[in-house]
């Protein structure tokens, strides 16, 4: 069965600092990987996804993620965090087959200090 | 593009009543929609996969007679919580699978059962 681990429950960074959110997955085949962001009162917004090809993926809002098969990781990065980035971040892995069900990690809450 | 709406955004009901939640893909057709439940400060747990024109597939532990899912068209899926009880209070989120096997999420429905 597939699984996703986000080791950091809560991360605090200062505005303008760099950010890295960790994600490790367990999946038997080539994974479909996603990062979503959830702001209070809003739905999940897709930041970026990896299906195949270039292992460094660019997303919206200046985010990027790197797929490392040898480490089973898909960490999310941003070089300079903005106060508006404060939110809950979820990493997810998609199953194979027509359903493409998602399994989510437990999430990382990001706090941005002024 | 790829907008998913949910209605209502909040609902409060008395114990024993039924509540219907609608999920619509506004600008694309979705043969597959998903229903999730999210507890406070926790991740999303997949409840069921809904396919247009066929019966939903429920995850283990989810009571199909309590959580009725109907996916009657390519843009609408409904979740009915029957005979709701306080323990059914939660945040319910739907998603619709769009292009490139990507799920797009609705803003969620906060259900409170008194």
């Amino acid at each position: 069965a597939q699984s996703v681990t986000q080791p950091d429950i809560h991360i605090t960074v200062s505005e303008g600092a760099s950010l890295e959110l960790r994600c490790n997955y367990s999946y038997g085949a080539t994974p479909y990987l996603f990062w979503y962001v959830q702001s209070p009162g809003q739905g999940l917004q897709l930041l970026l996804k990896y299906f195949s090809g270039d292992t460094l993926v660019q997303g919206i809002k200046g985010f990027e993620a790197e797929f490392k098969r040898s480490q089973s990781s898909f960490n999310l990065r941003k070089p300079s965090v903005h106060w508006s980035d404060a939110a809950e971040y979820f990493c997810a892995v998609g199953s194979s087959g027509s359903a493409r069900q998602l399994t989510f990690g437990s999430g990382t809450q990001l706090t941005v200090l002024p | 593009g790829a907008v998913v709406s949910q209605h209502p955004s909040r609902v409060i009901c008395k114990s024993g009543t039924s509540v219907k939640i609608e999920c619509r893909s506004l600008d694309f057709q979705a043969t597959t929609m998903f229903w999730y439940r999210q507890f406070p400060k926790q991740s999303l747990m997949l409840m069921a996969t809904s396919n247009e024109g066929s019966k939903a597939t429920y995850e283990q532990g989810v009571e199909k007679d309590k959580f009725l899912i109907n996916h009657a068209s390519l843009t609408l899926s409904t979740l009915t919580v029957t005979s709701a009880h306080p323990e059914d209070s939660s945040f319910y989120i739907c998603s619709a699978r769009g292009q490139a096997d990507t799920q797009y999420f609705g803003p969620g429905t906060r259900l409170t059962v008194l």
Side-chain angles (χ1 to χ4, degrees), chain B:
Chain B
V3 179
V4 177
S5 70
Q6 272 184 252
H7 178 79
S9 58
R10 291 178 181 271
V11 57
I12 300 173
C13 68
K14 293 182 178 180
S15 185
T17 62
S18 295
V19 174
K20 179 185 284 189
I21 302 170
E22 293 186 349
C23 176
R24 294 181 184 272
S25 54
L26 298 184
D27 51 3
F28 66 103
Q29 293 184 331
T31 56
T32 304
M33 291 185 174
F34 303 87
W35 287 95
Y36 296 83
R37 185 170 178 177
Q38 185 179 31
F39 293 99
K41 298 195 181 299
Q42 293 189 29
S43 188
L44 284 75
M45 300 301 297
L46 179 65
M47 298 175 65
T49 302
S50 167
N51 291 299
E52 186 266 340
S54 63
K55 290 183 178 180
T57 303
Y58 292 82
E59 295 301 297
Q60 190 173 6
V62 178
E63 298 176 60
K64 61 181 181 182
D65 294 330
K66 166 166 272 301
F67 299 101
L68 300 180
I69 292 172
N70 185 289
H71 192 161
S73 78
L74 290 172
T75 59
L76 173 65
S77 176
T78 60
L79 168 68
T80 301
V81 183
T82 62
S83 187
H85 291 283
E87 57 266 29
D88 298 324
S89 297
S90 192
F91 193 54
Y92 292 89
I93 304 173
C94 74
S95 71
R97 194 176 77 193
Q99 286 189 343
D101 288 332
T102 298
Q103 288 187 32
Y104 297 93
F105 287 80
T109 297
R110 174 76 59 195
L111 170 63
T112 302
V113 184
L114 302 176

Side-chain angles (χ1 to χ4, degrees), chain A residues 54-114:
Chain A
D54 193 343
T55 56
L56 184 62
V57 181
Q58 302 297 321
I60 62 171
K61 303 185 178 185
F63 286 93
E64 67 177 27
E66 187 171 11
F67 169 60
K68 293 185 177 181
R69 185 186 298 275
S70 62
Q71 299 177 21
S72 297
S73 69
F74 189 56
N75 295 347
L76 182 71
R77 300 194 293 250
K78 186 170 184 178
S80 178
V81 171
H82 189 261
W83 65 267
S84 61
D85 293 324
E88 185 91 20
Y89 290 80
F90 292 97
C91 179
V93 61
S95 65
S96 61
S98 60
R100 293 277 187 250
Q101 295 175 342
L102 292 179
T103 298
F104 284 85
S106 54
T108 297
Q109 179 68 47
L110 174 65
T111 298
V112 180
L113 300 177

